Amino acid sequence: MSQTITPELRRWIVEQAVAGHTPESVLEAMMKAGWTEQVATAALENTLEQHLRERAVVPSAAAVRTASPGVGARVPDLDLSRSPRQVDAGDRQVDVLISLAQPRVVVLGNLLSAEECDALIAAAQPRMARSLTVQTQTGGEEVNPDRTSSGMFFNRGESELIRRVEARIARLVNWPLENGEGMQVLHYRPGAEYKPHYDYFDPDEPGTPTILQRGGQRVGTVVMYLNEPACGGGTTFPDIGLEVAPKRGNAVFFSYDRPSPATRTLHGGAPVIEGDKWVATKWLREREFA
Ligand code: PD2
Ligand code: ZN
C-alpha cells in the first residue's frame, strides 16, 4: 500500500508534537487511522526532523530586522578622551589624523609598521584569488564584478603577526577580538576598484538571516593600507565627500549602528590608476564570530 505524506498530514503531526503529545501516541493515532507502523514511523521522523531543522536554522526576515542593532546600539569606537592626537593600542601609539562624529569615521596614522605591512603582503601573496563577496541572495560567496581586486582571508589568530594586529585593533576600537572576522587582504592592479557599497548585510536580502547566524551584523570596519599605489586607489565616502589617501601603515575606521543607508557609511575603493594597491580589512561583528 502506498501512503502519501501530504502537507496537511505534516501540519497535523507538527501540531500534535507542539501540543505535547508523545511520538508514541501520535504513532498510535496514525496506525488507528490505517497507516502501517513502518510508514507511519518514517513519516513521523521525517516530518519532525524537518520541522526542527527549519525552526533551528533560519529566522524570518522580520526577526532579523528586530534583532539587528539599532540607533544608538553599542558599536566599536576609539576612546579619544585622553588625547585627540594619539590612542594607546597596547603595543603601539596610533596617530589620530581625522575624527568625524557622524558618521563615525576615524583616519589613523601608523597603525601598522612598514615591516608589518610587508609581512602581511608576503603572507597573503601565495594565497590570493579573485575576490569573492558574501552573496546576500543565498548566503554563499561569489565573484562580484563591482570588485575587481583579488583577495584572501587569514584565519583569526593564525600566526604571531595576525594575533598581534588583531589584539591591537581590538584594544584600539574597544571591541572583543572574538567579534572580528578573519582579516582580509585585497590586491588591486591598475584599473581595479571596489565600487561604493555598505559593509553591513542588507536585511532585505534572502541570504542575510543565514549570514547573521555567525556573529550577527557587521558594526565596524578597519581598512589598513599596506602599500602606496603611485596614482589613484583612495577610499571614498561619497555621502560625506571624504577620500582617504592610501598611505602605508595608515588606516580608516568607521562604524554603523544599524544596517541602513541612514548611517551614511557608503564607501568604495577608487580605481587604481598606476601601480598596485594592497589593503587589509578587518570587519567587526556584533557578537562572537566563532
Ligand atoms: O580598498 C579599499 O579602499 C576598500 C574600499 C571599500 C575596501 C573595502 N571597502 C572593504 O574591504 O570593505
Ligand atoms: Zn567596504
Side-chain angles (χ1 to χ4, degrees), residues 58-61 64 135-140 202-211:
V58 182
S60 68
V64 165
Q135 233 278 38
T136 46
Q137 294 276 324
T138 61
D202 183 344
D204 290 327
E205 293 286 353
T208 294
T210 305
I211 296 165

Side-chain angles (χ1 to χ4, degrees), residues 199-221:
D199 281 353
Y200 58 75
F201 301 108
D202 183 344
D204 290 327
E205 293 286 353
T208 294
T210 305
I211 296 165
L212 298 191
Q213 295 231 295
R214 197 173 169 205
Q217 262 293 358
R218 286 179 176 162
V219 288
T221 304

Side-chain angles (χ1 to χ4, degrees), residues 6-19 21-23 25-33 35 40 44 47-48:
T6 61
E8 288 72 32
L9 176 64
R10 282 191 184 280
R11 211 170 303 129
W12 179 82
I13 291 174
V14 170
E15 279 166 10
Q16 301 309 301
V18 170
H21 297 294
T22 62
S25 66
V26 179
L27 188 65
E28 201 180 311
M30 288 174 78
M31 284 162 62
K32 276 197 184 131
W35 289 72
L44 199 60
T47 301
L48 292 178

Side-chain angles (χ1 to χ4, degrees), residues 184-233:
Q184 181 192 230
V185 172
L186 291 178
H187 176 208
Y188 304 76
R189 292 194 164 81
E193 67 181 312
Y194 197 170
K195 296 240 173 79
H197 60 274
Y198 299 97
D199 281 353
Y200 58 75
F201 301 108
D202 183 344
D204 290 327
E205 293 286 353
T208 294
T210 305
I211 296 165
L212 298 191
Q213 295 231 295
R214 197 173 169 205
Q217 262 293 358
R218 286 179 176 162
V219 288
T221 304
V222 184
V223 177
M224 295 162 269
Y225 305 102
L226 304 182
N227 82 325
E228 291 167 20
C231 214

